[in-house]
Amino acid sequence: MSAILDVRDLEVAFRTGGFLNRRDVLGVAGVSLEIHPGETFALVGESGSGKTTLARAVNHLQETSAGTVSFEGVRIDRLDRAAMKQVRRRMAMMFQDPIGSLSPRMTVGDLVTEPFRIHGEKVDYKAETERLLALVGLTADFAARFPHQLSGGQARRVGVARTIALNPALIIADEPTAGLDVSVQGEVLNLLNDLRERLGVAMLIITHNLHVVHHVADRMAVMYLGRFVESGPTEEIFRAPAHPYTAALLSANPEPDPDKAQDRIALPAEVPSLLARPSGCEFHTRCPWAQPRCQSDAPEIVDQGSRRVACHFPLAPGATPPAKERTA
Ligand code: SF4
């Protein structure tokens, strides 16, 4: 099956400094990924890893400096505004902040049908409101409410209804459970899984919450300083992370199952600045497994079975770091 989204060697450069010391800094540094119809792909990493910048670049909300983005077989990274508006019918973006992203003066009914008005589509608004609310598990009487009358979970459902209004082929969801209670997070994740099955929509999910990834993603990629350091099937990566950074992120999200409890891998808190990328492997300043070669020799991301890993010394399943790097 051909990919619905095909990103090749994508770069996003930011210009920094003044007239005399101007320079470009790479926020996304040569990333490639494919998403297939009906598939959910998650991007994970700490703040500043480049995952939101990458998602915005895919949706053309952020200018790219190199590489290509193709959607449904068409290259879209150089399209003009009008052409991109048509693409966004099929590639919908769901923003963070369930309540803040909804206009406070519009009713739920107007909010969920606004995409039809924006795209000049004549539809039966009442019928569409009821259909969309039902799809996200809300009753028709919600149509008359305003955002301030909704709980966080209800507001997120309204956001999802808006996102699916035009029957997109791909949803880009930025932190879909941010700001929600843990119990409500589970409901929203079940809703996303349910919609994927019923509508066949593909999803690109950006999150730092690994429980979200484990719950919804078929495949995932871990980003560090704007690059993928590991990507592949979610279950496989959760079972046996091959990159030390992935292992550290997973160890910071303990398994609920005590039989699977593992030591936490402590990383130095300081993430290097994009203005001063470390030499060699850019993770070597924080990596518990770093060896002399890592300081000078940058690892390429290469195929390793069904996944891709950027590390000279990928971890064996169950590897534990040197004792001084572990905390209980
Ligand atoms: Fe750690 Fe070296 Fe692998 Fe980088 S290449 S992740 S420093 S072991």
Side-chain angles (χ1 to χ4, degrees):
M1 198 189 303
S2 56
I4 192 164
L5 178 73
D6 188 358
V7 176
R8 292 281 139 216
D9 304 319
L10 198 70
E11 287 186 5
V12 177
F14 298 110
R15 188 144 286 189
T16 64
F19 180 67
L20 292 176
N21 60 350
R22 181 171 294 163
R23 57 182 286 205
D24 286 342
V25 172
L26 287 181
V28 174
V31 160
S32 298
L33 72 100
E34 287 183 354
I35 301 180
H36 296 90
E39 184 181 40
T40 298
F41 190 100
L43 292 175
V44 301
E46 293 161 292
S47 298
S49 59
K51 52 192 192 304
T52 296
T53 305
L54 172 56
R56 288 175 57 82
V58 165
N59 199 253
H60 213 336
L61 295 169
Q62 172 74 52
E63 211 172 299
T64 60
S65 44
T68 60
V69 180
S70 300
F71 177 65
E72 297 192 308
V74 177
R75 189 168 165 190
I76 62 168
D77 52 281
R78 293 290 178 264
L79 293 182
D80 63 20
R81 247 176 120 93
M84 203 54 214
K85 186 176 173 187
Q86 290 310 311
V87 171
R88 291 202 182 104
R89 296 173 60 93
R90 302 277 295 155
M91 185 199 281
M93 191 101 187
M94 195 165 85
F95 295 97
Q96 284 191 40
D97 187 3
I99 293 181
S101 59
L102 302 176
S103 173
R105 289 190 194 81
M106 292 172 74
T107 63
V108 166
D110 287 341
L111 283 164
V112 299
T113 52
E114 190 183 26
F116 298 113
R117 281 187 285 277
I118 289 173
H119 288 275
E121 275 206 22
K122 301 238 177 305
V123 293
D124 179 337
Y125 286 103
K126 186 167 181 296
E128 282 301 320
T129 301
E130 286 174 12
R131 179 183 74 86
L132 290 166
L133 290 180
L135 273 172
V136 298
L138 294 174
T139 50
D141 59 297
F142 272 87
R145 297 194 195 179
F146 287 90
H148 73 270
Q149 297 171 307
L150 303 174
S151 68
Q154 290 163 347
R156 177 44 87 208
R157 284 173 190 270
V158 171
V160 173
R162 278 168 65 85
T163 309
I164 59 175
L166 296 169
N167 196 23
L170 175 70
I171 292 174
I172 301 176
D174 193 359
E175 297 286 4
T177 60
L180 300 176
D181 292 343
V182 173
S183 59
V184 182
Q185 288 182 13
E187 284 174 26
V188 170
L189 296 178
N190 288 339
L191 172 65
L192 293 178
N193 271 339
D194 180 49
L195 290 174
R196 178 172 64 151
E197 274 170 30
R198 288 163 74 178
L199 308 177
V201 61
M203 296 193 197
L204 173 60
I205 290 185
I206 301 108
T207 183
H208 66 276
N209 184 337
L210 286 158
H211 296 300
V212 170
V213 177
H214 208 180
H215 205 87
V216 300
D218 303 298
R219 289 188 302 127
M220 62 184 282
V222 180
M223 289 190 80
Y224 189 72
L225 296 182
R227 302 184 203 278
F228 282 2
V229 295
E230 180 163 8
S231 64
T234 302
E235 275 306 322
E236 217 178 281
I237 290 177
F238 268 71
R239 202 172 335 115
H243 194 283
Y245 181 56
T246 314
L249 289 183
L250 292 181
S251 78
N253 283 261
E255 287 273 356
D257 180 352
D259 291 340
K260 292 187 183 169
Q262 60 184 114
D263 289 332
R264 180 166 178 165
I265 301 168
L267 294 180
E270 205 60 19
V271 180
S273 162
L274 292 173
L275 290 163
R277 288 177 177 273
S279 60
C281 172
E282 294 176 340
F283 187 55
H284 86 259
T285 55
R286 303 173 78 200
C287 180
W289 285 272
Q291 301 196 28
R293 176 186 175 192
C294 306
Q295 295 177 25
S296 56
D297 195 355
E300 296 285 320
I301 188 160
V302 293
D303 291 341
Q304 193 182 311
S306 56
R307 62 179 109 165
R308 311 199 79 213
V309 184
C311 176
H312 296 308
F313 309 103
L315 303 178
T320 52
K324 69 182 172 57
E325 309 289 357
R326 279 181 263 146
T327 59

